[in-house]
Each structure stands twice: as structure tokens, then as C-alpha cells.
Amino acid sequence: MKEFIDQLVLKWGYDPAQWPLTEALYIAGMLVIGIGLTTFGAVFAGLVSWWERRVAGRMQSRVGPNRVGPGGLLQFAADALKLILKEDLIPDEADRLLFRLAPYFVITGFILTFVVLPFGYHLSATHMNIGLFYVVAITSLVVVGILISGWASNSKWSLFGGIRAAAQVVSYEIPAGLALMVPVVAAGSLSLHEIIRAQGGWPWDWFMFQTPMGYIAFFSLFVSLLAEGNRTPFDLPEAESELVAGYNTEYSGMRFGYFFLAEWGNLWVMSAILTTLFLGGWQVPGVSMAQLTAWEASGQVPFYFYLLSALVFCAKVIVLVNVVIWIRWTFPRIRVDQMMSLCWKYLVPLGIVLVLATAGVELLSFEYFGEQAKVQAPLSSTRGMLHFGFFAVAGLLPLVIFIVKTFQNIRIAGERVDLTNW
Amino acid sequence: MALDQLILTKFGPEADQEMILNMGPQHPSTHGVINFIVQADGEVMTKAVPAVGYLHRALEKIGEIVTYPGYMPYTDRIDYLAAMFANEGYALAVEKLLGLNVPPRAQYLRAISCELNRIASHLVSAGTMAMDIGAVTPFPYALREREWINDLLEALCGARLTYNYHRIGGVAFDMPDDWMPLCHKWLDHFDKILDEWDRLISTNEIFVQRLAGMGVIPLPMAIDYGLVGPNLRASGFDYDLRRAHPYGAYPDFTFEVPIGKAYAGRAGVVGDCYDRFYCRVLEMRESVKIVRQALEKFPGGEFMAAKVPRKIRPPEGEAQSRIEAARGEMAYYIVSDGGERAYRVRARTGSFLAMGIIEELSKGLMIADLVALIASLDVVAPEIDR
């Protein structure tokens, strides 16, 4: 953005360093980006709320919202309008200041992640060299908000929800952090764009399929992020059947809406982190890093590459979002003690082993493959063949089994599966 | 007992150190208006005391005010998820007082309607149980099948929830001509659904882990507390009134009585929550068998006894009837003083008995487990309070 404004000012015939209005333009640019990203977060959260309800409807052999707009697409706008118009109730005995404050923590922790999250090649608000660290740090704000809301509501159910959320999110940040270290060690950088550049466009170049450690770390991180995002089977803080509504029991109106905005928006954050770290981010299949660096050296990255990379990135994110939605409407909820033992007994030791193994393997492959270990491996090379073999076993095989099983189930269920009734 | 008195008597001074939590009567998973006063240390409960009575409608007293046939619609309200059974139990007791013989066709219609109703009731029970554990999807699947049963019963008796179908001396309506193929079609369809149900939730690892070895009721304890029906059978006791003391058309049918066998596998214990859940699923399969046999052997003849007097005035005396309802043994005790109205009507229901055990079982369980425990005992609020 800064370069863009500088060039613009130069074009108008002023020197950006001297012209007094440059600073104002910078601020305006930042505002535009900020408002744009916030709007994107809000609209995505709204759309995914509609999409989730439609998917849930299909999965539960009912219809779901389909009245407002085409296919019910504008349902989220109607919901938002309703929530805004509703009375903002604060319970008599509540801690008024903290009660009002809590949703802002949640929403801030969610929106600020967009500062570093990439949307495509060169498409992100900043190129922070500690981007991943920043994401982990800023998402911790959410749990502060949830804890405050649980405390300030002065309701026992809310308190249960808040305490559960604190225990859960703080615990699961440790396996998440350890699993994050696997791609970081492999890429040798904390910058999200650098991590993506260390991968490739084809699935066997992704960190998920480069090593078994990456493969396991993907699932470990996936589970941890589910837990951090309070999604089923880890939706203990707002367990409807146990805690009424958990930490947001006493909330109403738009403050309640904020909690849900952040929850649905977190789907994007979560999937974008996974895509970036393990699924090759915005890397377009067919465009190798050598090609890209050649374009960059000549200063002529074609426009369609920006577009394609954004498309690829969003497609991967949306697939992951769908998987999360399927999980939510498939699984029961686990119990508090099971949640804790899963984290501390299994995921944390696993994460430590994964980080150590990745470091060891990186060291070995660096010795064996030399400098090549840091760049994309062509399919014909030994490394490329190894990656492809692992991808075939770990990636294609489960996918094929999944598809075969699905068709089996459809065949058993027989005439009741009507895929056209949408 | 008033609520504050109950808290004073049930919770000692140590309650000051722990949290007293009022669960219900508007809590989403107490299955109607039941109130639990939970004493908890964090997530772990020290005690959960049920405070019942929010749905008390004095149904037994009403039985002394209205005439014998006039009480039949009220029995529907005793258990709105399985109204047929309350109908049948009451009809049986009055028939005993009158010394009436019910024609076989009516007995078969009663058996068919009751077994269909049992499936519907167990579907709701299993579905809400999955929902209380946090899996929302199985519940609409169960309700979809229940809708179909409701359609069938509506075709049979014109009502979908409070059937008022059984009459003293028979049933209200004969089976419609085209009803049998409809029922067969549904039974064939339902076999596949039960397999799907097992794939969908019964074998789900999280679900099994949540319920295995949890809320175990050993057999002596189950008998001490007087548990009945699936709750008792899940503890490993083979006792089903349909076979132990057959009534109506039941001697004609062959069926298994599923009992608890630690179905949850390695972590399972006989009499745990999963056994109670799975016994109900198995019972649905048996009910399907019974309905099939009943349709096969369906006899001709009248659907109402010929000699039912217009004004029912049973001779002085008393009678008791016991039937195997969806929630276990349901008993009616009627005292007649020779008049048009009963001197005393007493109903004994399974849910009320199941509520008694919760206080002892809840010790050391987590709040999330209490929800599962209530669901596994399959208590229904109107049946507790009547």
C-alpha cells in the first residue's frame, strides 16, 4: 500500500517524501484496508452462518433458512437487523462495565488476525516477519473476552462456560503452538508468506504431505484449532444441553451477535491458518517457484497470477470450512475431563515428538539433499518422488476410501437420498 | 415441600463451601419441567436432588370426578409420548372390574397401536439422548420416523399425540381397509433406518466413550429402587411383563427381551448409561417384530365387546392392571363403590420410580453426565407428576 501511494503521489508530480499530504494519504489507505478487512470478516461470518444452517438442514433432512433472498442467502442480514434492533439487556446484578466490554475483546481478537492473514499472492495487509507469532498472540484475546463475559454476567451457567473456555483455550494453545512449529521449522521462517513460498502448488509439495510429521501435525493442529474456536466436539463453553448457553447465556441484542460473529468468522481464521501452514497457501498448481522468482526478478508478475492465487487460497479455505461444518453436525460433544486428557496426555507429547522429529529430519535432509532441501522438489527428483509416494498413501488413499464409503451409504439409504431437493 | 425448605433439609451446612445450582425447570435438557438442585464443586457434583411437581395436574383426583369412559382422554395426558399405554392400562383395569372379555381383534389392535407407540417413544428417547450428549443431527432423524408413526396412528384413530383410542371393552375404531399395506411399508422402511441409526450414533466413538461405564446401576440397587422397564432390564434382569405376565394379545407373539450386556465394549459395565440407551434401540427392533406378527395373524370379528353397558357402573370392589409401557411397568389401581365414578384411581408410572435413583447416582458425576443420566433413564415430566 505504501509503495502504491508513493507511486500515485509521484504520478501527480510531487515528491512523496516532501509532500505534506502523503501522511494523510497513508492514514486514509490504512483506514480503507481496515474497514475493508472488518467488512470482509463480518460478511464472511454472516454468509457462513447461512451456509452452515443450510448444510445442517441438508444433513438433518430438513430445509434450513430459504426465505430471505435467493436460497435464503440474505438470512444473515435479516438476523443482524433483528439483533441490532433488539434491546441490549444487562442483568441487574451484572458487572456493567465488564459485561459491556467483553464482546469487544472477542471481536477484536478475531478482526486483528486479518492484519497478517494472506488472501493470495502479495495480498495481505502486512508482510510481518513474525506473522504466525502475531496470530497466536492476538487470538488469545478471544479467551479474555469469554472469561470476562462469564464472570461479569453474574450467572452460574455463564461462569461455568467462562471457566471451561479458559481451561480449554489455554490448554489447547500448547499443542497448537507445538504443531505450528512443524511447518515453521521446515520453512525456516515465521512469516506466513515465507512459509507458503517454501511449499508448492501440487499437493505433494504441501507441508502436509512432505513428511509424516507434517501429516500428523496437520491433524493435531486441526483438533487444537477446533478446540480453540469452541467448535463441536469441543463446544463445551457454550454446551447448550448442559450449560443452557454457556458464557453468552445473559447476552442479548448485538452484543450476543458479536460473539457469534466472532465464532463464525473464526472459521475463516482457522482454515486460513491451516491452509497457509500445511496446504500450500496461495501456491497455484503449475506455477513453480522458479517461474515466480523469474517474474519477480523482472518485476512483471502477471495480473492473472494474483487472481488465480487468491482463488486457489479461498477454495482451499472454503473446503476446510465445510469440513469443520460437517464435523459440527456429525459428532457429539466430549466431556470436560476427556477434553483435558486428550490435550495433555496425547496432543502435547505428540507435539513435542513432532517438533523434535521435524528438526531432526530437516537436518538430515539438508545434509543429504544440500541446499535443495529448502526449494520446491521437481517430481523427477528423489525428494519429489518421496513426497509423491507419501501423498499417494496418506492423501489419496483416505480420500478414495471416503468417497467409496459415502457412495456405499447412499446406496444403502436408497431412495431417500434426494440430492436435488435444495 | 417448598423449594427453600428442600434446600435446607437436603443440603447441610457444608453446602456453603460449594455451589448450589438450580438446574431447571427451564433448562433445555431436563426433558420438560423438572427441577434439579445441584450441589457442585466445580464441575463435579456432590448431589443432585430432583424437585418434582411442576407438572402436577391432579390427574388421579380427576379420575374420581369424571365417569369411567370420561376419564379415558385424561389418561392420554399421563404420558404424552406414549399415550396408548396409559389408555390400555386404564381400560384393562376397568374391564377387570366389569369382568368384560375383549374380542381378539381389539386385543390385536391394542397390541399394534401400543408397539408402534413404543417405537415412537423410544425414538424420542434415543434422539433426545443423542442431543443431550451434543449430537444434534440424530434427533431430527428420529423425529422424522416418529412423524411417520404419527401418520399411521392418525389413520388408525384420528389423533397424533393424545390418541384416546382404547375403550373400555375394545378400541374406538376398526383398522381402516388400506392401513395394513401402509404399516407394512413403514416396517420395511424402518428396518433400514435402525441400521442407519446404529451407524449414525450408536457406534459413534465419542458417544460410546461419554456413556460407557457412567451412571452404573447395579442390579441389586435397581431392584431396591424399584426401577422398571428398560432401566431395570439394562441392569441385566430379564423381566418384561409382556412375557412374564402376558396380557392382551401378547401370548401369541414371539420376541426377545433385550437385557443389558455391557454393550459399550471394553469400558462398558452392565447397567451403565449406554446399556440403557442400547436396550431401547434393541427394543425397537423387537417391537417391529411384534407388529409384523400381529399384522400377519390379524383376526377378524368385532373390535368392541358386545356387552359393554351404556352406563358403566362396575360392582363394588377393586382391580389392578399392569402393563409394560414404554417407560416400564405401568399399573392402575381402581376402587369402585358401585357408582358411575371411581372411588379412587391410582396410576403407578416408571418415570417417577426412575427419579428416585438420581440423588444417589449423581454423587461424583459431572454436570454433563447428569444430563446424560437423566436422558438415559428416559424420564418424562408429565409421567412423574401426573
Side-chain angles (χ1 to χ4, degrees):
Chain A
M1 195 69 185
K2 186 172 180 292
E3 294 89 51
F4 177 72
I5 291 174
D6 283 348
Q7 276 171 17
L8 204 68
V9 173
L10 266 180
K11 215 184 202 175
W12 291 339
Y14 301 101
D15 179 13
Q18 308 287 312
W19 198 47
L21 287 180
T22 326
E23 293 287 324
L25 272 181
Y26 285 163
I27 292 170
M30 278 194 291
L31 274 178
V32 166
I33 290 178
I35 291 170
L37 286 175
T38 315
T39 312
F40 172 80
V43 170
F44 175 80
L47 279 176
V48 87
S49 84
W50 163 77
W51 178 245
E52 170 151 22
R53 281 179 281 173
R54 287 312 298 263
V55 171
R58 276 236 51 97
M59 290 178 75
Q60 303 182 343
S61 75
R62 53 187 179 85
V63 183
N66 68 346
R67 293 285 127 179
V68 194
L73 188 71
L74 295 177
Q75 182 67 42
F76 74 94
D79 287 346
L81 195 67
K82 185 200 91 171
L83 284 174
I84 290 168
L85 291 178
K86 269 183 98 167
E87 186 187 354
D88 181 21
L89 261 176
I90 300 176
D92 264 354
E93 301 285 314
D95 188 327
R96 295 179 76 86
L97 179 69
L98 290 181
F99 189 83
R100 283 155 180 261
L101 209 58
Y104 298 114
F105 275 96
V106 174
I107 205 85
T108 310
F110 151 62
I111 289 291
L112 281 187
T113 49
F114 283 109
V115 171
V116 290
L117 283 184
F119 291 92
Y121 173 69
H122 253 284
L123 286 175
S124 67
T126 55
H127 287 252
M128 211 182 272
N129 58 356
I130 50 159
L132 194 54
F133 185 68
Y134 171 83
V135 170
V136 173
I138 210 76
T139 46
S140 305
L141 262 186
V142 175
V143 69
V144 177
I146 292 178
L147 194 54
I148 290 178
S149 71
W151 172 256
S153 298
N154 195 18
S155 149
K156 286 168 184 173
W157 299 115
S158 301
L159 185 61
F160 264 122
I163 299 292
R164 275 188 183 187
Q168 175 174 325
V169 179
V170 171
S171 301
Y172 273 90
E173 270 181 8
I174 294 163
L178 287 169
L180 290 175
M181 287 312 287
V182 170
V184 168
V185 169
S189 170
L190 273 170
S191 153
L192 293 175
H193 281 279
E194 285 306 315
I195 292 173
I196 293 174
R197 292 174 84 96
Q199 305 175 58
W202 298 108
W204 48 89
D205 287 329
W206 298 349
F207 276 144
M208 185 180 172
F209 295 116
Q210 279 194 9
T211 52
M213 284 81 71
Y215 190 67
I216 301 167
F218 172 80
F219 290 107
S220 173
L221 183 63
F222 191 73
V223 170
S224 308
L225 286 180
L226 276 182
E228 280 193 56
N230 298 335
R231 299 287 298 187
T232 310
F234 301 97
D235 60 342
L236 297 145
E238 49 197 284
E240 191 211 330
S241 57
E242 295 156 21
L243 302 186
V244 190
Y247 57 85
N248 55 33
T249 306
E250 303 292 341
Y251 280 86
S252 63
M254 203 51 212
R255 279 175 218 282
F256 170 81
Y258 280 154
F259 281 113
F260 271 79
L261 194 108
E263 188 180 318
W264 270 309
N266 260 330
L267 280 185
W268 176 279
V269 176
M270 181 179 150
S271 308
I273 292 173
L274 281 165
T275 307
T276 306
L277 296 182
F278 289 101
L279 301 182
W282 41 254
Q283 291 273 15
V284 181
V287 182
S288 66
M289 271 317 285
Q291 173 78 58
L292 188 58
T293 35
W295 279 340
E296 278 170 350
S298 62
Q300 285 173 335
V301 183
F303 181 68
Y304 70 81
F305 183 73
Y306 284 95
L307 215 62
L308 263 182
S309 67
L311 269 180
V312 168
F313 188 84
C314 291
K316 287 172 183 171
V317 168
I318 283 166
V319 168
L320 273 181
V321 166
N322 263 306
V323 173
V324 177
I325 290 177
W326 292 339
I327 288 177
R328 164 144 187 207
W329 298 101
T330 308
F331 285 124
R333 181 186 312 120
I334 68 174
R335 209 166 45 214
V336 185
D337 54 329
Q338 290 169 341
M339 180 266 285
M340 279 303 187
S341 77
L342 174 69
C343 175
W344 293 104
K345 279 192 196 159
Y346 301 99
L347 290 181
V348 170
L350 183 75
I352 293 170
V353 171
L354 286 178
V355 172
L356 290 179
T358 312
V361 167
E362 281 303 312
L363 194 68
L364 280 179
S365 78
F366 210 69
E367 296 227 320
Y368 185 71
F369 295 114
E371 274 301 313
Q372 278 183 333
K374 285 280 173 240
V375 297
Q376 230 170 27
L379 207 51
S380 52
S381 68
T382 329
R383 244 182 90 225
M385 303 262 268
L386 275 177
H387 290 172
F388 184 77
F390 184 65
F391 163 68
V393 174
L396 284 182
L397 211 62
L399 196 66
V400 169
I401 292 173
F402 173 76
I403 290 169
V404 168
K405 273 273 180 196
T406 306
F407 276 94
Q408 253 174 18
N409 280 346
I410 289 178
R411 208 168 48 242
I412 293 169
E415 76 282 5
R416 289 182 305 103
V417 179
D418 179 10
L419 296 174
T420 55
N421 178 18
W422 183 237
Chain B
M1 203 186 302
L3 213 60
D4 46 346
Q5 275 176 307
L6 184 105
I7 293 175
L8 272 179
T9 49
K10 285 279 184 183
F11 302 97
E14 80 272 13
D16 290 349
Q17 305 296 316
E18 291 170 357
M19 187 189 259
I20 300 260
L21 194 60
N22 200 18
M23 187 173 179
Q26 314 98 327
H27 190 277
S29 54
T30 47
H31 293 213
V33 277
I34 311 170
N35 185 9
F36 289 89
I37 297 158
V38 176
Q39 184 183 346
D41 180 10
E43 290 267 342
V44 182
M45 294 186 296
T46 331
K47 198 187 272 180
V49 181
V52 299
Y54 285 92
L55 210 53
H56 183 66
R57 293 144 299 163
L59 279 174
E60 290 173 3
K61 187 70 188 167
I62 291 173
E64 299 167 16
I65 297 166
V66 297
T67 56
Y68 286 97
Y71 186 55
M72 191 58 84
Y74 287 101
T75 59
D76 286 332
R77 275 76 181 171
I78 286 185
D79 180 357
Y80 46 53
L81 284 180
M84 287 287 183
F85 296 99
N87 280 183
E88 185 175 23
Y90 179 68
L92 279 179
V94 180
E95 281 153 13
K96 232 182 213 176
L97 270 178
L98 287 169
L100 267 180
N101 279 327
V102 181
R105 192 178 173 91
Q107 286 185 347
Y108 269 70
L109 277 170
R110 281 182 182 181
I112 291 170
S113 57
C114 277
E115 291 309 319
L116 284 178
N117 204 186
R118 187 192 307 278
I119 297 173
S121 171
H122 282 354
L123 276 173
V124 175
S125 159
T128 47
M129 179 140 186
M131 195 147 85
D132 287 346
I133 301 295
V136 193
T137 301
F139 184 62
Y141 278 67
L143 274 205
R144 184 184 61 190
E145 300 314 313
R146 183 169 173 270
E147 276 307 296
W148 201 328
I149 296 177
N150 280 352
D151 288 346
L152 286 175
L153 291 178
E154 189 183 10
L156 199 61
C157 63
R160 294 170 68 84
L161 189 71
T162 49
Y163 306 109
N164 187 22
Y165 180 51
H166 299 192
R167 288 283 183 273
I168 296 158
V171 292
F173 309 102
D174 197 2
M175 182 192 283
D177 296 334
D178 56 347
W179 196 80
M180 213 183 272
L182 284 180
C183 191
H184 269 301
K185 189 180 168 204
W186 181 77
L187 290 172
D188 294 340
H189 154 88
F190 190 62
D191 283 340
K192 281 186 282 179
I193 294 292
L194 277 174
D195 297 336
E196 187 184 88
W197 182 262
D198 282 351
R199 286 204 308 277
L200 185 67
I201 186 76
S202 307
T203 51
N204 185 303
E205 186 61 23
I206 298 176
F207 186 72
V208 175
Q209 288 304 320
R210 275 290 303 271
L211 299 175
M214 205 268 296
V216 181
I217 306 179
L219 185 53
M221 188 176 165
I223 292 173
D224 286 352
Y225 275 90
L227 288 193
V228 288
N231 296 337
L232 174 66
R233 290 195 285 275
S235 293
F237 191 53
D238 188 354
Y239 179 72
D240 189 324
L241 273 176
R242 288 174 292 172
R243 211 170 59 185
H245 303 285
Y247 56 92
Y250 285 107
D252 299 356
F253 310 133
T254 51
F255 57 95
E256 308 263 313
V257 176
I259 59 167
K261 285 176 185 161
Y263 292 109
R266 210 156 28 89
V269 184
V270 175
D272 60 6
C273 283
Y274 189 79
D275 270 7
R276 287 193 282 282
F277 166 80
Y278 204 63
C279 272
R280 290 200 174 85
V281 177
L282 291 177
E283 262 181 36
M284 285 196 257
R285 286 183 193 275
E286 299 308 320
S287 291
V288 170
K289 267 191 217 168
I290 295 174
V291 176
R292 275 227 172 83
Q293 290 172 37
L295 289 179
E296 220 165 83
K297 299 177 183 170
F298 196 61
E302 286 299 311
F303 63 91
M304 194 72 183
K307 286 184 293 181
V308 184
R310 249 187 110 70
K311 261 196 178 157
I312 295 177
R313 288 169 182 276
E316 220 168 291
E318 56 185 50
Q320 199 203 1
S321 72
R322 298 159 76 198
I323 55 157
E324 184 70 31
R327 266 156 270 285
E329 186 179 328
M330 180 182 259
Y332 275 89
Y333 174 65
I334 301 179
V335 181
S336 161
D337 55 359
E340 245 182 89
R341 297 167 176 80
Y343 178 72
R344 173 84 170 100
V345 176
R346 163 92 176 103
R348 186 176 186 270
T349 51
S351 294
F352 182 73
L353 302 167
M355 286 298 276
I357 206 166
I358 287 176
E359 184 173 339
E360 185 171 340
L361 269 189
S362 60
K363 215 163 285 173
L365 288 185
M366 298 193 136
I367 286 179
D369 290 341
L370 176 65
V371 171
L373 177 67
I374 301 165
S376 82
L377 289 169
D378 190 17
V379 292
V380 171
E383 219 201 16
I384 300 168
D385 300 334
R386 297 191 286 281

